[in-house]
Amino acid sequence: MLKDAHKRQILKYAALRFASRAALVASLAALGAVIVFILLRGIGYVNMQLLFGDYGPEPSIRPALFGTLYLILIALAIAAPVGVGSAVFLTEYTNTKSRLSRVVRVAAETLAGIPSIVYGLFGYLVFVVALGFKYSLIGGGITLAIMILPVIVRSTEESLLAVPLALREGSFALGSSKVRTIFAVVLPCAAGGIVTSLILAVGRIVSESAVLILTVGMVVNKMPSSLASPGTSLALDVYYFSSHGYPRQAAATGVVLLMLVIGINILATALGRLLGKGELANG
Amino acid sequence: MDEKPVIAVRGCNLYYGDFRALKDVNIDIAAHEVTAFIGPSGCGKTTLIKTFNRMNDLVEGCRITGEVSIFGNDIYAKGTDVTLLRKDVGMVFQKPNPFPMSIYDNIAFAPRTFGIKRKSELDGIIEHSLRQAGLWGEAKDRLRQNAMGLSGGQQQRLCIARALAAQPKILLMDEPTSALDPISTGKIEELAAELKAEYTIVIVTHNMQQATRISDKTAFFLLGEIVEYGKTEDIFSSPADKRTENYITGRFG
């Protein structure tokens, strides 16, 4: 009897180990397949004309590279100070268990879950139509800022809450004001987490397409002359090329986009680790 | 005893919400002495020293009545500059809490707060503070390294140096050795004995041997009241109150 039970245990253990390992292999294989497939299909078509050439008979993604850069800069210029500022207010100036911060937290999580096409529609109705921006990078950038704002607030708030109370006390006990405590102790200690969340937000901007279709106009063949002019982004170019008879360019742009996103994620991890050294040692 | 007390507390009551944590506390603390606060957990000793630099202001729902004077000024009077108060009344906490930055920047923190920017001046303060805290020998070659790399005992001495760099007159120590090993504890105790020549020191401790080793006066707290206060040798050799005797002989607490 006892022996049988023991055998069953061993069998169960082996089965579970096999199943979890198979699941891991399957998920890694899916990820690997996407990357390998995109690379194989597209890497041969990545060339100087596509990357940096003028848009003529042969298409180029130069307008998209600049458009993407502008969109990142606009969105971060708005969302980073507003998002970090809101998080500082929530953690340092209100009780973390107060109704206000609970409401903001729930709201932020809800906003983060809204499909991006809804943000796109909002941007279209407000910036393109009501405010008369027409299709523009600035309207798209502001819409993206609104989209990433809740994510930045939430993750910055988490980073600030992770800064031990003892450090704030230490600063106050040395005669520091609240402002000095926030700028000289709390924010530097949370810098790793904050920078990581900003870079991950850049990743979301780079991979966004639904918002931009409705707000920046997908003008793939013209360099944007100013932030008020319409434009395009890498993700939009992939969509445009594949639906307008440029499958090779679509594949090649996919490679560029994939590399960019992977690069951004590696950068986020590396910077987060570098800046977070001090606080980790405190644990 | 005819000298004026550095800290004078009169009829002090402190409430956390409805809970009365201090009950009619009166105490005079003399200059250039080490005064120890002893008593079981939750008896109000930490609460009392935190009234001396108004750290209790940070606790929500904390209310205080009565008078706490430092150098003759009521520190709870309207118009008191808490920042300057905390510059004069330094504090060392139970757990070492160095900032996750370099040793140099840790100690330069308070001087910079008060506008000292010149490197030569800061260098001088940093060396002096580290020497006072007995850490100069160990730290002088690694001033630019992160303070988190120091051992627990070194971190606590760094926190003492950091507090001294603000050039306080009073140093509050809230169970400064409870997280440290015996050797580090010994070093901190020696420090307290040396530093009293320049500073007035108030130390909260759970360790009664520590109180007898380093303090000149001892106050015994129970349930928010000071039961007995006097010369340390008198308190430990011939306590006047039965409750003090029970506590120091280990019958409770």
Side-chain angles (χ1 to χ4, degrees), chain A residues 32 50 57 65 86 105 108 112 159 169 173-174 181 206 211 218-220 245 248 255 262 273-274:
Chain A
L50 181 83
L65 287 173
S86 314
R105 212 165 292 145
S159 311
E169 280 187 338
L174 290 167
T181 301
V206 168
V211 165
M218 200 156 63
V219 175
V220 299
R248 292 178 203 159
V255 171
I262 292 176
R273 212 172 274 169
L274 193 74

Side-chain angles (χ1 to χ4, degrees), chain A residues 183-215:
Chain A
F183 280 98
V185 176
V186 179
L187 284 176
C189 288
I194 295 173
V195 169
T196 303
S197 80
L198 292 180
I199 296 177
L200 292 176
V202 170
R204 285 196 59 177
I205 295 170
V206 168
S207 28
E208 184 53 46
S209 54
V211 165
L212 300 175
I213 287 177
L214 290 173
T215 53

Side-chain angles (χ1 to χ4, degrees), chain A residues 95 166-177 180-181 184-185 188-189 277-279 281-283, chain B residues 50 53 55 58 60 83 86-87 89 91 93 97-101 109-110 112-114 146 148 162-163:
Chain A
N95 187 330
L167 294 184
R168 292 179 179 84
E169 280 187 338
S171 173
F172 286 129
L174 290 167
S176 306
S177 62
R180 175 154 165 82
T181 301
V185 176
C189 288
K277 246 189 213 157
E279 44 179 320
N282 195 34
Chain B
K50 285 190 169 177
N53 62 348
M55 285 300 280
L58 305 176
E60 212 160 306
T83 302
R86 290 183 186 149
K87 183 191 170 300
V89 186
M91 186 165 209
F93 294 82
N97 59 350
F99 302 130
M101 46 179 95
F109 194 86
R112 281 176 178 151
T113 304
F114 294 98
N146 197 306
M148 308 315 291
R162 186 177 68 181

